[in-house]
Amino acid sequence: LELVGFRKWNDLKLKMLLGKVPVLRNFDGRGNDLSNEIAITQFLATKLGLTGNSDEEAAVANMLYTQFFCTLRNNGLSHDGDHYSVTSLVAAKINEVDLSLRRRYQEMHRVNDWTRPERSLAALGVFEEQLVKTGTGFLVGNTITYVDLALFNILFELAEPENVPDFSTRWNFPALGNFLKRLEQRPGIHSYVRSARRIPRYERPGYVYCEGKHCSRQLEDSSR
């Protein structure tokens, strides 16, 4: 794992396959690199058996991950943007904005006048409905896939103490709330979020380190 700082990035950008990170080095064992977040994620998911139990389940996982990337990841541009924004949901909580009658994503047109909190809840609602539909506790079939892991990461951040830890009851997302609790209890995930291997939290601008649940300054320092 190589972390690239701002100054070093200016020198490396032109040497990157597509001029951006992340990049998976020597992904094929023949010295070639793989670029693009989606391509890397799906390549690793296939290698690790996280794409479902059939071609059909793999297709559904692909569909859901595309939806996830377009909305909860704001098309890869930001973790906090026009389609999904934790900061806007925090502001809605603080200002006691009534979002009890949340709207469905299917009702939203490409050009719309919805607020960021409304878009954010609509984006989450897609995955609430999918969990209810499967009834297995997973988004696809009866086993964990890479889409579950991606969604867990989003919900874990939303539930940070300074964000909206009661999001599931506040905005009526019982399936998402149960999903978050269940996945965090899985041994591998339980260990990861409490370890120094966890990717640090940061705030923009400047990508400044910030503490969070199981992610303290002491943990960061002890890993050096």
Side-chain angles (χ1 to χ4, degrees):
L1 177 63
E2 179 185 5
L3 300 179
V4 181
F6 284 121
R7 292 182 180 177
K8 190 175 181 180
W9 175 240
N10 291 331
D11 298 328
L12 289 177
K13 179 173 172 58
L14 294 179
K15 300 176 183 178
M16 291 294 176
L17 183 63
L18 298 178
K20 59 178 64 176
V21 289
V23 171
L24 186 60
R25 296 291 197 186
N26 191 26
F27 83 102
D28 58 358
R30 295 193 291 269
N32 295 307
D33 296 338
L34 185 65
S35 185
N36 187 291
E37 181 178 335
I38 294 177
I40 293 172
T41 298
Q42 294 182 332
F43 171 76
L44 293 175
T46 301
K47 284 288 187 181
L48 297 171
L50 292 171
T51 59
N53 294 320
S54 66
D55 290 344
E56 290 75 19
E57 288 189 1
V60 175
N62 187 11
M63 173 189 73
L64 292 173
Y65 190 73
T66 301
Q67 176 70 16
F68 165 88
F69 198 80
C70 290
T71 57
L72 299 181
R73 277 286 285 112
N74 291 289
N75 291 301
L77 298 176
S78 172
H79 290 277
D80 200 286
D82 290 335
H83 300 283
Y84 176 76
S85 169
V86 173
T87 57
S88 75
L89 291 176
V90 172
K93 177 189 72 171
I94 293 173
N95 296 319
E96 299 183 350
V97 176
D98 184 10
L99 295 170
S100 57
L101 297 177
R102 58 181 175 82
R103 302 155 84 174
R104 298 181 72 226
Y105 182 86
Q106 293 85 336
E107 301 170 9
M108 182 173 59
H109 293 276
R110 185 175 62 83
V111 178
N112 61 80
D113 60 357
W114 292 24
T115 65
R116 277 193 176 189
E118 287 176 328
R119 293 193 198 107
S120 299
L121 295 186
L124 289 170
V126 170
F127 297 93
E128 171 78 14
E129 292 180 16
Q130 181 67 16
L131 287 169
V132 172
K133 178 181 177 180
T134 62
T136 63
F138 301 109
L139 290 168
V140 181
N142 60 4
T143 188
I144 193 168
T145 65
Y146 67 103
V147 192
D148 293 304
L149 298 177
L151 179 61
F152 170 81
N153 189 54
I154 292 291
L155 297 179
F156 193 83
E157 175 63 28
L158 178 59
E160 286 283 359
E162 75 272 24
N163 291 333
V164 195
D166 64 342
F167 75 90
S168 62
T169 54
R170 177 180 292 270
W171 293 312
N172 191 28
F173 288 127
L176 289 179
N178 290 332
F179 172 87
L180 176 60
K181 292 177 182 177
R182 287 181 60 253
L183 258 66
E184 188 178 354
Q185 292 170 358
R186 293 176 69 92
I189 295 177
H190 183 273
S191 173
Y192 172 74
V193 298
R194 290 165 173 78
S195 74
R197 296 180 295 117
R198 176 181 168 188
I199 297 176
R201 297 182 73 219
Y202 59 84
E203 294 177 343
R204 292 179 176 177
Y207 291 85
V208 179
Y209 174 87
C210 60
E211 296 185 4
K213 184 179 179 183
H214 311 312
C215 187
S216 66
R217 179 71 64 180
Q218 290 76 18
L219 177 60
E220 181 197 37
D221 292 340
S222 67
S223 66
R224 293 175 178 174

